[in-house]
Amino acid sequence: MSGRIGQRTGAPACRILSVGSFRPARVVTNAEICERIDSSDEWIRERSGIIERRYAAREESVVDLGVQAARVALERSGVDPGAISMVLVATVTHPLQTPSAAVEIAFRVGATNAAATDISSACAGFCYGLGLADSMIRTGAAEYVLLVGVEKLSDWVNPDDRSSAFIFADGAGAVVIGPSDTPGIGPTIWGADGSQTDAINMTQTLIQYRNEGGEIFPHLVMKGQQVFRWAVGEMPKVAQRALDAAGLTADDLDAFIPHQANMRITDAMVRAMRLPEGLPVARDIATTGNTSAASIPLAMDRMLADGEIRSGDIALLIGFGAGLAFASQVVRVP
Ligand code: UT7
């Protein structure tokens, strides 16, 4: 045996430098959703907190949405697109097996020196991406990372399914992550429970649909109560572990920005974690719906725009959903 493999080391710390988001133009009200399902505006508001959501246009793709959010984040970061060394795209709604959404988004925003790949962790995808970006920057695998969370769930939802049609929506959020003097991303607490793949799933694979046919095109189905119970029972413990791992307590927080799954899940987490009264909590679901991997950066960008949080604030993030998969960390707001 001869020779020793050299290894790289990266920046001592990293942080989120900027956030940007994109909301598609079309507002879809509960009344419109109820044209196809036996439900009501009142029920949807009470059970999910959703008043309206956005749907992308038919010809607007996951890549189109992602590019819009990425351009805003890049512009705000001041980082030259050519200096981005990795583009990560968290999505489960890009309709092609290959190439990835990331390679297309990287090209279209001018990140032509970047490696690029997609992350398939559904609603946990954005926080998975932050965990990966943090590790890559500190090991020297990347210097600047563009992370996009983007979904066009309207393509994969059955508008006649009353257990899911009202909840999911379209949107995109993006962040640029880069080296910093002091840590801006705490340890990521993450995991996956493959015993519950049935909780959020597809009716068929595209291959089954081609070979065997099916009444309608393959789409998402969700066992809402099963996911709800898991989220409310387990996610406060995960978020607490992320807080502990960062060496902080709830009193150190300036904001709580959970995945926008359901307003009642957010409320239950706030109660279970005994978060301080008056702590700003993301409630973007009311007008944005559940946008899976896009929901956390969309909510963060809105809270900044509304003056609910400020640059430098400490926020607790948690993403959770299909898999079932979850990831949580504490970050400094860009
Ligand atoms: O983002 C990734 C992860 N996803 C989530 O975290 C979603 C988690 N789950 C949820 O958010 C909730 O389970 C839903 C919002 C999807 C559903 O709310 P729920 O309170 O769990 O409703 P349920 O399924 O327990 O149904 C309660 C009642 C039932 O009627 P009965 O049996 O009590 O008479 C349903 O038939 O509400 C009925 N129902 C509806 N009524 C009007 C179910 N769906 C609807 C509907 N409109 N769309």
Side-chain angles (χ1 to χ4, degrees), residues 27 48 75 80 83 85 107 115 147 168 191 201-202 265 276 289:
V27 174
S48 71
E75 175 78 32
D80 187 288
S85 32
F107 178 72
L147 167 63
F168 294 117
N201 205 340
M202 297 288 294
I265 293 178

PDB file of all heavy atoms in Angstrom, residues 27 48 75 80 83 85 107 115 147 168 191 201-202 265 276 289:
ATOM      1  N   VAL A  27     -54.565  32.745  -7.948  1.00  0.00           N
ATOM      2  CA  VAL A  27     -55.082  32.481  -6.610  1.00  0.00           C
ATOM      3  C   VAL A  27     -56.258  31.512  -6.733  1.00  0.00           C
ATOM      4  O   VAL A  27     -57.182  31.754  -7.510  1.00  0.00           O
ATOM      5  CB  VAL A  27     -55.547  33.795  -5.937  1.00  0.00           C
ATOM      6  CG1 VAL A  27     -56.229  33.512  -4.596  1.00  0.00           C
ATOM      7  CG2 VAL A  27     -54.377  34.755  -5.766  1.00  0.00           C
ATOM      8  N   SER A  48     -57.579  23.064   8.381  1.00  0.00           N
ATOM      9  CA  SER A  48     -56.217  23.197   7.850  1.00  0.00           C
ATOM     10  C   SER A  48     -55.644  24.604   7.999  1.00  0.00           C
ATOM     11  O   SER A  48     -54.436  24.789   7.893  1.00  0.00           O
ATOM     12  CB  SER A  48     -56.199  22.818   6.363  1.00  0.00           C
ATOM     13  OG  SER A  48     -56.858  23.817   5.589  1.00  0.00           O
ATOM     14  N   GLU A  75     -29.615  37.265  -6.591  1.00  0.00           N
ATOM     15  CA  GLU A  75     -29.508  38.722  -6.653  1.00  0.00           C
ATOM     16  C   GLU A  75     -29.273  39.304  -5.244  1.00  0.00           C
ATOM     17  O   GLU A  75     -28.390  40.122  -5.043  1.00  0.00           O
ATOM     18  CB  GLU A  75     -30.821  39.248  -7.265  1.00  0.00           C
ATOM     19  CG  GLU A  75     -30.979  40.747  -7.327  1.00  0.00           C
ATOM     20  CD  GLU A  75     -30.182  41.356  -8.464  1.00  0.00           C
ATOM     21  OE1 GLU A  75     -30.032  40.674  -9.490  1.00  0.00           O
ATOM     22  OE2 GLU A  75     -29.710  42.498  -8.293  1.00  0.00           O
ATOM     23  N   ASP A  80     -21.909  35.918  -7.317  1.00  0.00           N
ATOM     24  CA  ASP A  80     -21.961  35.713  -8.761  1.00  0.00           C
ATOM     25  C   ASP A  80     -22.424  34.279  -9.040  1.00  0.00           C
ATOM     26  O   ASP A  80     -21.901  33.346  -8.441  1.00  0.00           O
ATOM     27  CB  ASP A  80     -20.548  35.936  -9.327  1.00  0.00           C
ATOM     28  CG  ASP A  80     -20.538  35.901 -10.836  1.00  0.00           C
ATOM     29  OD1 ASP A  80     -20.694  34.792 -11.393  1.00  0.00           O
ATOM     30  OD2 ASP A  80     -20.408  36.970 -11.444  1.00  0.00           O
ATOM     31  N   ALA A  83     -19.943  31.590  -9.258  1.00  0.00           N
ATOM     32  CA  ALA A  83     -19.210  31.171  -8.052  1.00  0.00           C
ATOM     33  C   ALA A  83     -19.961  30.087  -7.265  1.00  0.00           C
ATOM     34  O   ALA A  83     -19.452  29.560  -6.276  1.00  0.00           O
ATOM     35  CB  ALA A  83     -18.955  32.385  -7.150  1.00  0.00           C
ATOM     36  N   SER A  85     -20.977  26.586  -6.323  1.00  0.00           N
ATOM     37  CA  SER A  85     -20.345  25.290  -6.620  1.00  0.00           C
ATOM     38  C   SER A  85     -21.305  24.115  -6.535  1.00  0.00           C
ATOM     39  O   SER A  85     -20.977  23.012  -6.980  1.00  0.00           O
ATOM     40  CB  SER A  85     -19.139  25.054  -5.713  1.00  0.00           C
ATOM     41  OG  SER A  85     -19.301  25.647  -4.461  1.00  0.00           O
ATOM     42  N   PHE A 107     -28.278  25.768 -15.019  1.00  0.00           N
ATOM     43  CA  PHE A 107     -27.944  26.337 -16.329  1.00  0.00           C
ATOM     44  C   PHE A 107     -28.679  27.655 -16.543  1.00  0.00           C
ATOM     45  O   PHE A 107     -28.090  28.655 -16.960  1.00  0.00           O
ATOM     46  CB  PHE A 107     -28.290  25.328 -17.430  1.00  0.00           C
ATOM     47  CG  PHE A 107     -28.020  25.851 -18.801  1.00  0.00           C
ATOM     48  CD1 PHE A 107     -26.718  26.003 -19.260  1.00  0.00           C
ATOM     49  CD2 PHE A 107     -29.066  26.210 -19.638  1.00  0.00           C
ATOM     50  CE1 PHE A 107     -26.462  26.501 -20.530  1.00  0.00           C
ATOM     51  CE2 PHE A 107     -28.823  26.718 -20.913  1.00  0.00           C
ATOM     52  CZ  PHE A 107     -27.513  26.870 -21.355  1.00  0.00           C
ATOM     53  N   ALA A 115     -21.902  21.788  -9.578  1.00  0.00           N
ATOM     54  CA  ALA A 115     -22.498  20.455  -9.596  1.00  0.00           C
ATOM     55  C   ALA A 115     -23.981  20.657  -9.286  1.00  0.00           C
ATOM     56  O   ALA A 115     -24.355  21.687  -8.711  1.00  0.00           O
ATOM     57  CB  ALA A 115     -21.846  19.573  -8.532  1.00  0.00           C
ATOM     58  N   LEU A 147     -29.700  26.501  -2.847  1.00  0.00           N
ATOM     59  CA  LEU A 147     -30.686  25.477  -2.484  1.00  0.00           C
ATOM     60  C   LEU A 147     -32.080  25.997  -2.833  1.00  0.00           C
ATOM     61  O   LEU A 147     -32.481  27.066  -2.374  1.00  0.00           O
ATOM     62  CB  LEU A 147     -30.597  25.188  -0.977  1.00  0.00           C
ATOM     63  CG  LEU A 147     -31.741  24.373  -0.361  1.00  0.00           C
ATOM     64  CD1 LEU A 147     -31.821  22.967  -0.951  1.00  0.00           C
ATOM     65  CD2 LEU A 147     -31.566  24.294   1.172  1.00  0.00           C
ATOM     66  N   PHE A 168     -52.773  20.825  -0.884  1.00  0.00           N
ATOM     67  CA  PHE A 168     -51.508  21.023  -1.591  1.00  0.00           C
ATOM     68  C   PHE A 168     -51.568  22.153  -2.622  1.00  0.00           C
ATOM     69  O   PHE A 168     -52.625  22.434  -3.188  1.00  0.00           O
ATOM     70  CB  PHE A 168     -51.073  19.718  -2.252  1.00  0.00           C
ATOM     71  CG  PHE A 168     -50.734  18.635  -1.260  1.00  0.00           C
ATOM     72  CD1 PHE A 168     -51.463  17.453  -1.214  1.00  0.00           C
ATOM     73  CD2 PHE A 168     -49.698  18.819  -0.359  1.00  0.00           C
ATOM     74  CE1 PHE A 168     -51.150  16.459  -0.292  1.00  0.00           C
ATOM     75  CE2 PHE A 168     -49.381  17.831   0.572  1.00  0.00           C
ATOM     76  CZ  PHE A 168     -50.114  16.644   0.594  1.00  0.00           C
ATOM     77  N   GLY A 191     -34.057  12.197   9.965  1.00  0.00           N
ATOM     78  CA  GLY A 191     -34.330  10.763   9.975  1.00  0.00           C
ATOM     79  C   GLY A 191     -35.434  10.426   9.001  1.00  0.00           C
ATOM     80  O   GLY A 191     -36.009  11.297   8.344  1.00  0.00           O
ATOM     81  N   ASN A 201     -48.366   8.729  -0.542  1.00  0.00           N
ATOM     82  CA  ASN A 201     -47.862   7.816  -1.555  1.00  0.00           C
ATOM     83  C   ASN A 201     -48.506   8.156  -2.898  1.00  0.00           C
ATOM     84  O   ASN A 201     -49.351   9.043  -2.984  1.00  0.00           O
ATOM     85  CB  ASN A 201     -48.253   6.391  -1.121  1.00  0.00           C
ATOM     86  CG  ASN A 201     -47.319   5.345  -1.695  1.00  0.00           C
ATOM     87  OD1 ASN A 201     -46.628   5.587  -2.676  1.00  0.00           O
ATOM     88  ND2 ASN A 201     -47.315   4.174  -1.081  1.00  0.00           N
ATOM     89  N   MET A 202     -48.120   7.413  -3.942  1.00  0.00           N
ATOM     90  CA  MET A 202     -48.752   7.566  -5.247  1.00  0.00           C
ATOM     91  C   MET A 202     -49.724   6.403  -5.468  1.00  0.00           C
ATOM     92  O   MET A 202     -49.482   5.292  -4.989  1.00  0.00           O
ATOM     93  CB  MET A 202     -47.697   7.540  -6.353  1.00  0.00           C
ATOM     94  CG  MET A 202     -46.687   8.670  -6.292  1.00  0.00           C
ATOM     95  SD  MET A 202     -47.395  10.256  -6.761  1.00  0.00           S
ATOM     96  CE  MET A 202     -47.758   9.973  -8.494  1.00  0.00           C
ATOM     97  N   ILE A 265     -51.335  21.612  13.043  1.00  0.00           N
ATOM     98  CA  ILE A 265     -50.075  20.943  13.418  1.00  0.00           C
ATOM     99  C   ILE A 265     -49.114  21.992  13.988  1.00  0.00           C
ATOM    100  O   ILE A 265     -48.472  21.777  15.014  1.00  0.00           O
ATOM    101  CB  ILE A 265     -49.448  20.218  12.194  1.00  0.00           C
ATOM    102  CG1 ILE A 265     -50.344  19.056  11.763  1.00  0.00           C
ATOM    103  CG2 ILE A 265     -48.035  19.730  12.523  1.00  0.00           C
ATOM    104  CD1 ILE A 265     -49.853  18.289  10.528  1.00  0.00           C
ATOM    105  N   PRO A 276     -42.259  30.379  23.738  1.00  0.00           N
ATOM    106  CA  PRO A 276     -42.674  31.592  24.450  1.00  0.00           C
ATOM    107  C   PRO A 276     -43.868  32.282  23.785  1.00  0.00           C
ATOM    108  O   PRO A 276     -43.950  32.336  22.554  1.00  0.00           O
ATOM    109  CB  PRO A 276     -41.445  32.495  24.378  1.00  0.00           C
ATOM    110  CG  PRO A 276     -40.306  31.598  24.074  1.00  0.00           C
ATOM    111  CD  PRO A 276     -40.849  30.417  23.339  1.00  0.00           C
ATOM    112  N   GLY A 289     -51.134  27.706   1.113  1.00  0.00           N
ATOM    113  CA  GLY A 289     -51.377  26.268   1.121  1.00  0.00           C
ATOM    114  C   GLY A 289     -50.122  25.522   1.524  1.00  0.00           C
ATOM    115  O   GLY A 289     -49.137  26.122   1.975  1.00  0.00           O
TER     116      GLY A 289
END
